[in-house]
């Protein structure tokens, strides 16, 4: 493997790491905001805080899905550059090119990411829990 290809793979891996870090931080922020709003509810007994918490949860979920989608696209690019993808499915990528716009169908689709266990499995239970808590309160 050439030095150029190794450097290209390092660039792609850096982007993948950054996208993964952003996704992780969004989950942490969502938990922090929801916890703070639930603490306000517990101290004031004002159920509006529960309903307000649903908004940031949905917004963070949508933004998180975007970062996971970008991460998947860069993983596909990495696999093509590293020639891990089977030859008949691989895209031709020039040195230091990052054409993630070519990765758009299947697992790279935003809806596919949004309904994945990574996103839906975390954000939907929180929203449902908030709705149930709001209805009970």
């Amino acid at each position: 493997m050439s030095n150029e290809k190794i450097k290209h793979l390092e660039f792609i891996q850096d982007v993948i790491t950054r996208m993964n870090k952003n996704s992780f931080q969004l989950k942490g922020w969502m938990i922090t905001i929801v916890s703070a709003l639930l603490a306000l509810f517990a101290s004031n007994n004002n159920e509006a805080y529960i309903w307000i918490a649903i908004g940031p949860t949905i917004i963070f979920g949508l933004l998180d899905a975007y970062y996971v989608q970008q991460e998947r696209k860069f993983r596909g690019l990495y696999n093509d550059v590293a020639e891990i993808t089977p030859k008949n499915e691989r895209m031709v990528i020039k040195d230091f090119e990052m054409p993630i716009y070519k990765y758009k169908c299947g697992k790279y689709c935003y809806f596919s990411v949004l309904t994945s266990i990574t996103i839906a499995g975390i954000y939907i239970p929180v929203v449902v829990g908030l709705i149930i808590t709001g209805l009970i309160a």
Side-chain angles (χ1 to χ4, degrees), residues 78-97:
Y78 185 95
N79 290 340
D80 287 346
V81 171
E83 299 176 355
I84 296 171
T85 308
K87 193 168 189 165
N88 60 338
E89 297 175 20
R90 190 179 317 145
M91 291 188 200
V92 178
I93 310 293
K94 297 177 187 173
D95 283 347
F96 299 101
E97 183 182 34

Side-chain angles (χ1 to χ4, degrees), residues 3-99:
N3 285 339
E4 288 82 17
K5 187 175 259 190
I6 291 171
K7 198 64 169 166
H8 190 185
L9 291 171
E10 288 174 1
F11 287 152
I12 297 168
Q13 185 58 49
D14 288 344
V15 174
I16 291 170
T17 302
R18 192 169 48 247
M19 294 299 139
N20 188 282
K21 182 180 175 185
N22 290 343
S23 175
F24 183 77
Q25 286 178 333
L26 283 170
K27 288 174 179 71
W29 292 344
M30 182 268 302
I31 290 169
T32 301
I33 289 173
V34 168
S35 298
L37 288 168
L38 288 176
L40 285 171
F41 163 72
S43 66
N44 297 340
N45 207 18
N46 183 351
E47 69 183 52
Y49 291 115
I50 295 172
W51 299 110
I52 291 170
I54 294 172
T57 304
I58 292 171
I59 291 169
F60 281 124
L62 295 172
L63 190 55
D64 194 3
Y66 171 76
Y67 283 116
V68 172
Q69 178 194 29
Q70 295 303 307
E71 181 184 343
R72 284 185 183 184
K73 288 179 178 183
F74 278 101
R75 285 185 189 278
L77 176 65
Y78 185 95
N79 290 340
D80 287 346
V81 171
E83 299 176 355
I84 296 171
T85 308
K87 193 168 189 165
N88 60 338
E89 297 175 20
R90 190 179 317 145
M91 291 188 200
V92 178
I93 310 293
K94 297 177 187 173
D95 283 347
F96 299 101
E97 183 182 34
M98 294 192 188

